[in-house]
């Protein structure tokens, strides 16, 4: 139904606007991420937005298009790559633990 598609389009548009605003912020502030505790309302807004979306990134809940948009931000690319490496390391560790627990089952 059309009513279900509209929020997703609006969210994507909002996401793109916030990515653009975050990119501008990083450029204008020497690559520093905005702080949630800042006095500046726009800085707090961007910080809160990033803190809401970052777990979605970690939990692989973003579309590839959204991830690609974030990767276009020079200050975030390294952080995104680091988080990807951490996620892959966590997956490897949990896979190894599963294998060990399976091998310890009585036969």
């Amino acid at each position: 139904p059309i009513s279900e598609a509209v929020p997703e389009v609006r969210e994507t548009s909002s996401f793109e606007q916030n990515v653009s605003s975050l990119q501008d912020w990083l450029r204008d502030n020497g690559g520093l991420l905005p702080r949630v505790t800042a006095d500046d309302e726009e800085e707090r807004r961007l910080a809160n937005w990033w803190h809401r979306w970052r777990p979605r990134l970690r939990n692989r809940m973003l579309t590839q298009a959204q991830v690609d948009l974030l990767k276009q931000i020079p200050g975030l690319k390294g952080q995104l790559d680091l988080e990807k490496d951490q996620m892959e390391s966590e997956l490897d560790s949990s896979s190894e633990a599963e294998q060990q627990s399976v091998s310890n089952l009585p036969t």
Side-chain angles (χ1 to χ4, degrees), residues 46-84:
L46 285 172
N48 284 319
W49 175 83
W50 176 241
H51 285 280
R52 279 192 312 273
W53 280 91
R54 196 168 171 206
R56 294 179 192 183
L57 173 67
R58 280 192 192 133
N59 294 322
R60 300 177 182 193
M61 297 171 66
L62 300 183
T63 66
Q64 188 59 48
Q66 289 170 323
V67 172
D68 291 343
L69 277 174
L70 289 171
K71 284 184 175 182
Q72 291 176 13
I73 301 176
L76 288 184
K77 184 170 180 354
Q79 189 174 17
L80 297 175
D81 290 341
L82 178 61
E83 287 185 9
K84 178 183 173 193

Side-chain angles (χ1 to χ4, degrees), residues 1-18:
I2 293 174
S3 62
E4 290 178 17
V6 172
E8 185 176 327
V9 170
R10 192 176 319 131
E11 186 173 346
T12 300
S13 174
S14 174
F15 183 86
E16 290 172 359
Q17 289 173 342
N18 281 306

Side-chain angles (χ1 to χ4, degrees), residues 32-46:
L32 297 175
L33 285 168
R35 297 168 298 137
V36 176
T37 59
D39 292 332
D40 180 69
E41 186 177 332
E42 177 66 4
E43 182 177 1
R44 276 193 322 271
R45 185 189 72 74
L46 285 172

